[in-house]
Amino acid sequence: MTGVSSRYARVVTLVNADGLHARPAAEFVKLAGSSGGRVTVNGRDARSLLAILSLGLMQGAELEIATDDLDGRGAVDALADLVATGFERTDR
C-alpha cells in the first residue's frame, strides 16, 4: 500500500518544575525501552538517556512523542501520559 502512513504522535507539555532532568529522564527511557516499537521524542530516540538529556527540556516545553511503528502506539500513549502527569506513574 503506497501513501498509507502508520505515523502516530502526541504532543504534550512538560509540567515538571525542574524539567526533564536525570531522574525523570531515566524513568522515561526505561518505559520507552520496555515497548516493542521505536519511539522518538522531538526526533530523538526515546530509548537513549543521552539523547533525551541533550534536548535540555525545561518546564513548559512541548514534546512530540511519535512512532512510525504500529507496535509503538501503546508506548507513545504511555510516555505521553507519564509526561502529562508530571511523572506520577500509577502502574508501579
Side-chain angles (χ1 to χ4, degrees):
M1 284 187 204
T2 58
V4 176
S5 173
S6 60
R7 180 164 168 75
Y8 178 71
R10 285 184 55 189
V11 176
V12 290
T13 301
L14 187 59
V15 296
N16 287 37
D18 294 328
L20 196 54
H21 60 86
R23 186 169 291 135
E27 189 173 343
F28 187 92
V29 167
K30 182 179 178 182
L31 182 58
S34 69
S35 74
R38 184 176 187 280
V39 177
T40 61
V41 177
N42 295 1
R44 305 272 180 97
D45 184 358
R47 296 171 294 180
S48 169
L49 183 59
L50 185 57
I52 299 303
L53 289 174
S54 71
L55 290 169
L57 298 169
M58 302 303 292
Q59 183 181 35
E62 287 193 342
L63 287 76
E64 181 192 53
I65 304 169
T67 186
D68 289 326
D69 187 342
L70 291 174
D71 293 334
R73 289 176 178 238
V76 168
D77 288 335
L79 291 166
D81 292 346
L82 181 66
V83 171
T85 62
F87 292 79
E88 296 295 325
R89 288 181 60 184
T90 58
D91 64 335
R92 291 186 225 188

